[in-house]
Amino acid sequence: MRRRSFLGVPLAAGFQLARGAESERVYATGDGAPLTPAEYAALLARLTQGGGVERDSYSQHGAVEKLEERMAALLGKEMAVWLPTGTLANHLAVRMLAGDRRRVLVQAESHLFNDCGDCAQTLSGLTLAPLAPGKATFTLADVERAAYDAQSGRVATPIGAIQIETPVRRKRGERFDFEQMKAVAAWARAHRVGMHLDGARLYLESAYTKRPVQEYAALFDTVYVSLYKYFNAGGGAVLAGPRSLLAELYHTRRMFGGGMAHVWPYATVAMHYLEGFEERFRRGVETSEAVIQALGRDSNFGVERVPNGTNIFRMRVFNVNAPVYQMRLEAAGVTVAAPEGDWFGVQVNETWGRAPFAEITRRLVQALG
């Protein structure tokens, strides 16, 4: 069948704008609900009315401390510490857990190994040993082989820590196999090796597996969760773990330049979106799954899911130019990222719960023209 060209079909042909307001827009890109500067400022103004928000001092006390206490309780850990970035959270976690055993096992596809400028190696003298290239999951056998190699060389280089990232961003949100995760955690406990979870998107995975976040966190000494990816803060991260490890972390945080003077605006917005997030995101997931099923029955669409995936899938449309379709969707109240060739990378977030699945499906179909 011949695809309609960019110029061959008027943009508005057979097309009606979405009836809803911007508050009903579905953002099929990103993990969270994007806030403009004006929206962020208005939200802060509303949340701080009446003086209920206390300012922090160099990232301690006030609104930050309340957020830390809340996150520690939700993750089932003794305490939590606010940090400015996930890069620093992961780095400091493996640094503390490894101690004087400088080798750290990580996924070859992990954020820490690929996207942090060798920070752990350069700034903390750690050796990151990448496992299972091209895969989201490494196995217990991979760990045992790496441990044997570390001990059998001319100079022993014992493993001090293991980091697992799940879901894996470089694998389009694919999950680390949970049974392998449990096996690796048991091995680490038996060999007194520290375990760190890069759980930047842990709450997203939890919704898809229906496994509580505490069930994941219990396997690890430390857990990092992002505050901006889906809790919509302007920035920040939380690192949770045992008090014996984290009690003095604010000194190291300051040493690395992370002792920001005032972060209450980040903490306040994160706390706001944290409350009720699991229910809102679950509703968004349920809606998106119904939409995906409807698209799968329509010959005008193609859908590809990520095996063992989470909130990312691919969608293509037939018989219409993809950039034209993107513009029509925008007008219809569905924002998607620019296509790569014929395919759109689509992400599910809590904004999918703003409209019934039938309404979202209607917008997607109507934008075909």
Side-chain angles (χ1 to χ4, degrees):
M1 300 178 70
R2 189 162 61 93
R3 175 174 297 159
R4 300 172 185 174
S5 71
F6 193 167
L7 299 177
V9 178
L11 183 61
F15 180 70
Q16 296 178 353
L17 292 178
R19 294 178 299 233
E22 279 298 299
S23 62
E24 296 177 349
R25 175 170 294 277
V26 173
Y27 289 90
T29 179
D31 295 319
L35 298 175
T36 66
E39 289 168 338
Y40 197 97
L43 176 61
L44 266 182
R46 179 166 62 85
L47 295 176
T48 54
Q49 284 181 350
V53 174
E54 298 179 30
R55 65 189 297 178
D56 58 295
S57 176
Y58 289 96
S59 309
Q60 291 184 279
H61 312 302
V64 176
E65 185 174 359
K66 289 183 179 179
L67 174 65
E68 291 171 337
E69 290 174 350
R70 179 66 175 144
M71 288 299 300
L74 289 172
L75 293 169
K77 298 300 184 185
E78 288 183 332
M79 69 174 297
V81 177
W82 185 91
L83 291 163
T85 66
T87 295
L88 186 58
N90 286 330
H91 177 185
L92 295 188
V94 296
R95 171 191 171 100
M96 291 184 294
L97 291 171
D100 58 2
R101 296 176 296 167
R102 314 301 291 170
R103 183 164 293 198
V104 178
L105 304 184
V106 298
Q107 293 134 299
E109 306 305 320
S110 67
H111 185 273
L112 180 61
F113 186 68
N114 291 283
D115 303 300
C116 300
D118 291 346
C119 61
Q121 299 93 312
T122 303
L123 301 176
S124 294
L126 299 174
T127 298
L128 300 188
L131 304 179
K135 300 179 181 178
T137 299
F138 57 73
T139 65
L140 176 58
D142 293 327
V143 171
E144 291 176 328
R145 188 178 306 111
Y148 174 80
D149 292 343
Q151 290 287 67
S152 61
R154 295 287 293 273
V155 177
T157 52
I159 297 167
I162 300 172
Q163 178 192 277
I164 289 176
E165 175 186 336
T166 193
V168 182
R169 182 180 65 85
R170 281 178 167 265
K171 296 296 293 179
R172 292 194 295 147
E174 183 179 344
R175 308 189 303 269
F176 193 104
D177 182 83
F178 191 70
E179 293 305 313
Q180 287 296 329
M181 187 185 296
K182 290 194 294 184
V184 170
W187 182 94
R189 284 194 299 271
H191 292 83
R192 297 185 179 180
V193 172
M195 287 285 291
H196 171 62
L197 174 60
D198 177 349
R201 297 172 171 86
L202 179 62
Y203 275 81
L204 305 187
E205 177 165 330
S206 173
Y208 281 90
T209 63
K210 297 181 173 56
R211 184 174 292 116
V213 293
Q214 285 196 20
E215 190 172 344
Y216 290 94
L219 300 176
F220 296 84
D221 299 289
T222 55
V223 182
Y224 142 62
V225 173
S226 175
L227 296 180
Y228 76 87
K229 287 178 170 41
Y230 42 87
F231 296 138
N232 306 313
V238 158
L239 179 64
R243 191 172 301 278
S244 59
L245 192 69
L246 302 184
E248 302 300 319
L249 182 58
Y250 70 94
H251 290 297
T252 308
R253 178 179 65 189
R254 191 178 184 104
M255 178 179 71
F256 276 85
M260 297 170 62
H262 302 295
V263 298
W264 61 264
Y266 300 152
T268 300
V269 171
M271 181 72 91
H272 169 72
Y273 279 99
L274 175 62
E275 300 307 322
F277 172 80
E278 290 179 282
E279 171 60 25
R280 296 194 307 275
F281 187 67
R282 181 193 60 76
R283 186 164 60 247
V285 170
E286 290 175 352
T287 300
S288 70
E289 291 296 318
V291 171
I292 290 170
Q293 289 183 24
L295 297 183
R297 296 188 293 267
D298 190 326
S299 61
N300 291 298
F301 294 90
V303 175
E304 281 188 2
R305 305 299 298 270
V306 177
N308 300 313
T310 50
N311 70 319
I312 300 174
F313 65 95
R314 296 209 308 162
M315 177 186 74
R316 68 178 300 181
V317 289
F318 298 100
N319 307 313
V320 62
N321 181 278
V324 170
Y325 185 71
Q326 180 192 12
M327 289 189 291
R328 290 175 175 173
L329 277 184
E330 183 69 24
V334 179
T335 296
V336 295
E340 295 183 3
D342 293 330
W343 289 92
F344 292 91
V346 183
Q347 290 177 263
V348 176
N349 51 53
E350 70 171 77
T351 69
W352 285 71
R354 291 177 173 177
F357 93 88
E359 166 62 18
I360 297 174
T361 303
R362 184 193 69 80
R363 298 181 195 179
L364 293 170
V365 172
Q366 188 173 343
L368 292 169

